[in-house]
Amino acid sequence: MATLGRAAKIVALLLGFYLLCLLLLVGMVVLDVFAFKLLFGTTNAGWHAPKLALVLLAATVGIFIVVVRGLFVSVRVRRKDLTGIPVGPADQPELWRRVNALAEVVGTRPPAEIRLVPEVNAAVLEHAHLMGLLPGKRRMMVGVPLMQALTVPELEAVLAHELGHYSDRHSRLAPLAGRARAGVMAAMQAVSKQVGKSGKFQWPGSQIYAELFRAYAILVLKQTFAISREQEYAADRIAATAGGRENAASALRKLPATDAAYDLYLNEFIGRGLARKLAPPPVEVLGGFGEFLADPERAKQMAKFDDADDEQEAHAFDSHPPIPDRIAAIMALPDDGRAPAPAADGPPTRAFALLANPYAVLTALGQQMLREHVAGAQIADWETIARTARIGSAQENSQPIVHLVSTMIGRPARFTDFLALVEAGRLPEILDRMDHTETARKLNVPPPAQREFKKNALGRMLAAWAVFELVPSGRATIRHSWSGFGGEMQLAGGQEKTLGEGVEALLTMWPDTALIRQVVPA
């Protein structure tokens, strides 16, 4: 009965939206008829009657445009563009076998299609009909980065969770709630776009009715998000039943760290290369993430991230409860006696090992990712990408101080020219001529204290300048490393520490250039 009541509430909210549209239109028409009778129903209608009639007609037209636009958009919600590559049972027999087995355990029909996607995510999409009441074609999205991070039992728990949204009448509310939320939000966005454009003519009254739409959208969101949070807890219980309590909790615990690691990987290793029009071979675009996860230092960082007590506050507009709350709810379930899966210490123990012909999968997804995000990139190995990106970044970061020193000496400057100025006692002049740092401006730092901020910025620029001169000259090399950003720099004789200490010595109360000259000779 509770499920039936929630379903009735969602249907009422969605139908109420259409009723709101109808009432707005009918109300304005009735108001117009009544007003016209008052204005023109007598022979002594005043001179102002035509003007008032014109205003009413304009307001009616404005409301009609806003309402019809919202109604029209809401009934044609666009389906999310599908990404990734579809794989059939012949392509990935083991993955399909496990998904079919999970669907049987969960008590729902299996998906008609499985797509492998380049995301830290898994989802089941169903193009339902009649406001989500009638089932349609079901697709499952399985993120390859997720498979690279989770063990097989953990992945099974995640997939069982997604299938669990369609397992029974209680969980069948999910697509209905999603349909109501998507329809009303699409209408609200269309109305806001129609009314909110600056410089665009607005019909009288349209802003008022846009606010009515917005108020109703807030009501729908609060109700449907509350139902969605209940569905997440229900699907978590299904995941614990199908994959084991410990594995379901472990998978949830790993998701934030894996998501953060994937963003870091894309930004620092793929993104830096693409900024220089360089890209790894397609198979390495996602294949590199598996190597990134296997790096011992990265594994330690992710373990600390997993263990962090990340307190999250629940919000009325959250579609999911906070992960710590979900983990606590799972662990509060009766012990099922199933031990957690062994830690994913390498590719063989991860769910990625389920894939047949992984090279073809990684290549196809890598090609898709490169095609979508960059054009004209040159394929290069990780060593070349690290070296090129590090040198390019060093050049950009050192440009302000290089330009300043060049201006002071009247010719293109080298690092040793800066050292000569310091030895001549002109470091205070350099600091005075430097632009104020953004941090100092934001904090409104008084002038006497701004020099310390400038020294910190100068230290970073000098380190970059040294890299820009040392690497091309062959006195230093850049080696690709998953543990660091932009590769690891190696100096002849192991002088990496000397470089850092030498830069620090330049910025003390009594600047000393002796140490840095050992690394950057004339």
Side-chain angles (χ1 to χ4, degrees):
M1 292 299 293
T3 300
L4 184 60
R6 285 191 290 267
K9 181 188 292 185
I10 298 174
V11 173
L13 286 170
L14 190 54
L15 293 178
F17 171 69
Y18 300 124
L19 181 61
L20 174 64
C21 295
L22 180 62
L23 289 177
L24 289 176
L25 293 176
V26 171
M28 281 307 301
V29 171
V30 171
L31 180 62
D32 286 349
V33 172
F34 181 73
F36 271 63
K37 284 184 178 181
L38 287 179
L39 292 173
F40 300 104
T42 60
T43 56
N44 58 347
W47 60 270
H48 58 279
K51 291 185 177 181
L52 291 175
L54 183 61
V55 171
L56 278 174
L57 283 175
T60 302
V61 171
I63 293 166
F64 180 83
I65 291 174
V66 170
V67 170
V68 172
R69 182 175 177 85
L71 182 63
F72 175 71
V73 173
S74 71
V75 298
R76 62 178 184 92
V77 176
R78 294 180 180 179
R79 296 172 180 175
K80 184 179 179 181
D81 293 335
L82 299 175
T83 60
I85 56 174
V87 292
D91 303 316
Q92 298 297 335
E94 183 61 19
L95 179 61
W96 270 95
R97 185 187 69 79
R98 290 178 182 266
V99 169
N100 288 332
L102 287 171
E104 185 175 351
V105 171
V106 169
T108 188
R109 60 187 172 90
E113 177 181 295
I114 294 179
R115 301 181 75 92
L116 298 176
V117 296
E119 303 169 11
V120 182
N121 190 27
V124 173
L125 305 178
E126 186 174 288
H127 293 152
H129 310 287
L130 191 61
M131 298 184 298
L133 294 173
L134 296 181
K137 183 176 181 179
R138 188 174 291 180
R139 295 180 173 90
M140 172 175 277
M141 311 294 173
V142 183
V144 169
L146 195 65
M147 299 181 74
Q148 292 172 310
L150 302 183
T151 63
V152 172
E154 289 169 347
L155 178 69
E156 288 182 333
V158 171
L159 299 184
H161 172 101
E162 298 304 327
L163 289 167
H165 286 303
Y166 299 87
S167 66
D168 53 30
R169 286 194 307 160
H170 179 68
S171 291
R172 286 293 305 178
L173 291 176
L176 183 58
R179 176 64 181 84
R181 185 164 57 244
V184 174
M185 283 305 299
M188 190 63 253
Q189 290 171 1
V191 170
S192 298
K193 184 177 180 182
Q194 179 73 22
V195 175
K197 285 186 177 179
S198 60
K200 184 175 181 179
F201 174 73
Q202 295 185 9
W203 292 96
S206 60
Q207 186 64 46
I208 296 175
Y209 287 91
E211 289 300 325
L212 286 176
F213 272 90
R214 187 173 291 108
Y216 195 85
I218 291 174
L219 174 64
V220 172
L221 288 176
K222 284 185 176 180
Q223 295 295 326
T224 57
F225 277 138
I227 292 172
S228 294
R229 290 191 294 273
E230 292 179 10
Q231 298 305 303
E232 292 303 319
Y233 282 121
D236 283 342
R237 291 191 292 271
I238 293 171
T241 300
R245 186 186 69 166
E246 295 286 346
N247 293 315
S250 176
L252 268 180
R253 198 174 290 113
K254 286 182 179 179
L255 285 179
T258 303
D259 194 41
Y262 189 55
D263 285 344
L264 179 67
Y265 168 77
L266 291 179
N267 290 332
E268 296 296 335
F269 293 92
I270 302 296
R272 287 195 179 194
L274 294 181
R276 311 291 167 188
K277 292 296 182 181
L278 294 176
V283 70
E284 284 293 316
V285 176
L286 281 179
F289 183 60
E291 299 174 21
F292 175 91
L293 292 175
D295 181 80
E297 290 300 318
R298 296 300 183 188
K300 291 179 183 178
Q301 293 171 3
M302 291 187 66
K304 291 179 181 178
F305 196 105
D306 292 342
D307 294 337
D309 184 15
D310 187 15
E311 296 183 0
Q312 303 175 26
E313 293 185 2
H315 193 279
F317 295 103
D318 288 337
S319 61
H320 289 61
I323 285 182
D325 293 355
R326 293 172 63 188
I327 293 174
I330 290 174
M331 296 308 296
L333 297 173
D335 188 357
D336 52 23
R338 284 179 282 185
D345 294 327
T349 64
R350 295 197 178 106
F352 183 74
L354 295 176
L355 295 180
N357 197 357
Y359 185 92
V361 170
L362 293 175
T363 299
L365 285 174
Q367 289 173 340
Q368 187 179 94
M369 293 174 71
L370 292 178
R371 182 172 62 249
E372 292 177 354
H373 293 94
V374 70
Q378 180 182 347
I379 301 300
D381 57 33
W382 289 115
E383 296 292 343
T384 302
I385 292 174
R387 185 177 186 275
T388 305
R390 183 69 177 271
I391 293 175
S393 177
Q395 182 181 20
E396 292 173 358
N397 294 335
S398 62
Q399 190 58 38
I401 187 61
V402 173
H403 177 73
L404 176 57
V405 174
S406 298
T407 302
M408 293 177 67
I409 65 176
R411 56 178 171 78
R414 300 277 311 262
F415 194 93
T416 50
D417 294 318
F418 171 83
L419 297 181
L421 291 178
V422 172
E423 291 165 347
R426 300 182 67 182
L427 180 59
E429 179 185 351
I430 293 173
L431 292 171
D432 289 338
R433 296 179 65 166
M434 285 177 60
D435 294 332
H436 297 311
T437 65
E438 184 177 353
T439 303
R441 285 196 297 268
K442 287 182 177 180
L443 297 177
N444 198 23
V445 176
Q450 288 179 1
R451 178 165 291 187
E452 292 305 314
F453 284 87
K454 290 183 178 181
K455 280 187 176 182
N456 291 333
L458 179 58
R460 292 189 294 270
M461 287 188 282
L462 291 175
W465 194 354
V467 171
F468 182 60
E469 287 200 4
L470 290 171
V471 175
S473 66
R475 285 176 286 179
T477 58
I478 301 294
R479 301 301 303 270
H480 166 70
S481 170
W482 295 118
S483 301
F485 299 123
E488 293 182 351
M489 186 172 70
Q490 298 177 349
L491 292 169
Q495 292 182 306
E496 295 84 6
K497 185 178 180 181
T498 305
L499 175 60
E501 293 174 348
V503 171
E504 291 180 4
L506 288 173
L507 304 176
T508 60
M509 186 177 296
W510 294 280
D512 185 359
T513 63
L515 199 59
I516 194 69
R517 282 195 179 277
Q518 297 178 21
V519 182
V520 188

